[in-house]
Amino acid sequence: MDRTSAQERLAAALQRIDDSQGEGARAVLTVYRDAAQAAAEASDARARTGTSLGPLDGAIVTIKDLFDVAGEVTRAGSKVIAAEGKVAVEDAVIVQRLRAAGAVIVGKTNMSEFAFTGVGANPHFGTPGNPADRARVPGGSSSGAGVAVADDMCEIGIGSDTGGSVRIPASLCGVIGFKPSRQRVPTVGAFPLSYSLDSIGPLAKSVAQCAAADAVMAGEAPWTLDAAPLAGLRVGVAQGLPLENLDDTVGRRFPEALDRLEKAGVRLSYEKLPMFDDMMALQMRISILVAEAYSVHSERMTQHAAGVDPVVAARLIKGKDIAAHDYINAVRTRQALIRALDERMRDIDVLVMPSTATVAPRLDELGEPKAFLQRNAMLLRNTTIGNFFDLCGVSIPLPRDGLLPTGLMLLARNGHDRQLLRFAAAVEKLFG
């Protein structure tokens, strides 16, 4: 446990944010200096009397730019929304819960506009450079959170995950990202992207920090995270789609990870899951996410589309032509596929696959919309499985050995969040 005072750790985080040679100006868009200082002082005062509000008391935390803070405009990475000037009346539920747990909220982090790409680029507020290579993207949509955690601007970054927006930046930036079961954490006060798919989760440098933040945001009492024994753990290695077209780094690191898991006593089974192909076939016909996102932004796109990131606008506008009956049929098809995969997963503890099929692409490779969309699709492909099938998931960094970061994704059945975190803690320990 870090016994450094909250004020000292806050000062160190602010120094990283303020470093003119770093990414603070692009990663953390709003800095709450005075409020964070007051929260840190209050935490240290409690510590001196031997009292604590729990494991997050004094933790240095950032929140994504789509969470309401009372008295502020919630920008959601968009200058169009910022110009609308709608001020939040109260804090988002998760912000209320973090404050009540003693968390020191130091700032709001950058994101893809409307949380609508997995690349993490933002033409309005700048794109923070990847901590492993500043010429590369951080992953999104919780781009600022991934960079802030990796660069020690905070200890825990709170993001949202609709198609991988926590796990993608975690994978590309070399940190841990946890996507809880969708219904676990309330989204009240979080700017929506997809009402069916949105979830809220933490990024951090340890599974324990993610578990502590998740419990607070879920409104649960703190619990002790004990790593599950790896010997005998039933791990299904998803075949087919998640393993197609892996780049050289991921293609090397993933089999090495499986080998280490097997040597630790994990029981691997190789699972062919045709419902993944059914998911892709459905999404080629109609996107539930795009339909719901357009319902959020239809008026905005009618009046202010020119002010929106062109890549985001091009994806959003497709929702205009989705008929209600097609959307409803897609929702029903998805529910049937969710049930089918849940039934298959009864005989395994976790599914495993690469978090992303590739390492972080270079920003200068994404100038053409076609190239951007291709890279975006590859980054989102595997993580989307967790959202579409209503699972909980975590991305754990694999050993780098001088290469760019990449992650191992564990997925578990909906509602098995604590069990998944125990597995993740064991895998984290194995990989060091």
Side-chain angles (χ1 to χ4, degrees):
M1 181 178 175
D2 189 346
R3 298 191 180 280
T4 311
S5 73
Q7 291 175 81
E8 289 173 300
R9 288 181 288 107
L10 173 62
L14 287 169
Q15 186 174 14
R16 297 286 291 181
I17 292 170
D18 293 338
D19 182 0
S20 61
Q21 301 303 307
E23 295 297 307
R26 285 176 288 274
V28 185
L29 301 183
T30 303
V31 182
Y32 301 115
R33 293 178 200 279
D34 294 342
Q37 183 61 38
E41 289 173 2
S43 177
D44 289 340
R46 287 190 292 273
R48 287 193 294 272
T49 64
T51 58
S52 172
L53 297 176
L56 283 198
D57 199 345
I60 313 303
V61 175
T62 57
I63 57 174
K64 192 173 180 175
D65 193 33
L66 51 64
F67 295 115
D68 284 351
V69 170
E72 289 184 10
V73 175
T74 304
R75 294 165 297 208
S78 171
K79 287 199 169 178
V80 168
I81 294 179
E84 291 170 2
K86 184 179 178 182
V87 175
V89 176
E90 61 181 358
D91 290 348
V93 169
I94 64 109
V95 175
Q96 295 175 27
R97 290 178 176 180
L98 289 166
R99 293 196 203 279
V104 178
I105 299 177
V106 67
K108 263 191 179 179
T109 50
N110 201 354
M111 57 183 283
S112 308
E113 187 168 17
F114 305 153
F116 208 22
T117 78
V119 169
N122 187 306
H124 311 301
F125 300 105
T127 302
N130 189 299
D133 178 355
R134 298 302 186 191
R136 294 179 182 270
V137 301
S141 64
S142 308
S143 53
V147 174
V149 170
D151 280 348
D152 296 317
M153 300 177 203
C154 65
E155 294 161 343
I156 300 169
I158 307 302
S160 66
D161 191 308
T162 304
S165 289
V166 163
R167 290 160 292 150
I168 293 168
S171 178
L172 301 192
C173 293
V175 299
I176 291 167
F178 175 60
K179 174 224 170 299
S181 298
R182 180 189 51 80
Q183 76 285 359
R184 181 171 170 76
V185 177
T187 56
V188 178
F191 197 99
L193 176 60
S194 166
Y195 298 105
S196 299
L197 302 168
D198 290 347
S199 59
I200 296 170
L203 299 89
K205 289 188 176 178
S206 75
V207 175
Q209 289 171 308
C210 286
D214 169 70
V216 165
M217 292 191 295
E220 296 182 352
W223 61 290
T224 302
L225 176 66
D226 296 318
L230 285 176
L233 184 68
R234 301 169 304 172
V235 172
V237 184
Q239 300 297 285
L241 178 72
L243 302 183
E244 292 174 2
N245 302 315
L246 304 181
D247 72 12
D248 290 344
T249 301
V250 179
R252 185 190 313 179
R253 287 289 172 254
F254 182 65
E256 291 172 354
L258 295 181
D259 186 55
R260 291 185 67 173
L261 287 170
E262 197 160 35
K263 287 177 178 175
V266 166
R267 290 163 50 196
L268 297 180
S269 61
Y270 293 86
E271 305 288 338
K272 293 182 179 179
L273 301 165
M275 54 283 291
F276 288 179
D277 294 327
D278 294 337
M279 174 193 79
M280 293 300 291
L282 175 63
Q283 290 184 328
M284 290 294 287
R285 296 195 307 273
I286 180 171
S287 168
I288 293 170
L289 189 159
V290 170
E292 294 185 348
Y294 186 76
S295 79
V296 174
H297 295 286
S298 57
E299 185 176 340
R300 200 167 280 120
M301 290 300 294
T302 300
Q303 298 178 1
H304 303 293
V308 176
D309 178 352
V311 174
V312 171
R315 294 183 71 204
L316 255 182
I317 202 67
K318 292 178 181 178
K320 184 177 182 180
D321 298 323
I322 296 176
H325 67 274
D326 288 332
Y327 167 74
I328 292 168
N329 287 336
V331 169
R332 294 181 67 182
T333 300
R334 175 181 175 242
Q335 291 302 321
L337 291 172
I338 287 171
R339 290 191 295 271
L341 183 61
D342 184 69
E343 186 63 33
R344 279 292 301 272
M345 289 181 68
R346 289 181 185 276
D347 296 327
I348 58 175
D349 295 309
V350 291
L351 268 180
V352 66
M353 62 188 74
S355 301
T356 56
T358 70
V359 297
R362 289 176 57 89
L363 192 56
D364 61 14
E365 296 172 342
L366 306 176
E368 293 296 321
K370 184 178 179 180
F372 187 105
L373 290 172
Q374 286 175 339
R375 295 303 186 100
N376 185 57
M378 287 301 290
L379 291 175
L380 284 161
R381 187 192 68 194
N382 289 6
T383 53
T384 295
I385 291 167
N387 304 86
F388 183 93
F389 288 99
D390 211 8
L391 307 173
C392 52
V394 60
S395 179
I396 300 170
L398 290 176
R400 287 176 57 183
D401 298 333
L403 300 178
L404 289 165
T406 187
L408 181 74
M409 184 164 63
L410 308 179
L411 294 170
R413 296 169 66 199
N414 186 288
H416 291 227
D417 298 70
R418 287 195 175 189
Q419 188 178 8
L420 175 64
L421 287 164
R422 292 184 67 225
F423 297 149
V427 174
E428 174 189 33
K429 187 176 180 181
L430 176 68
F431 293 139

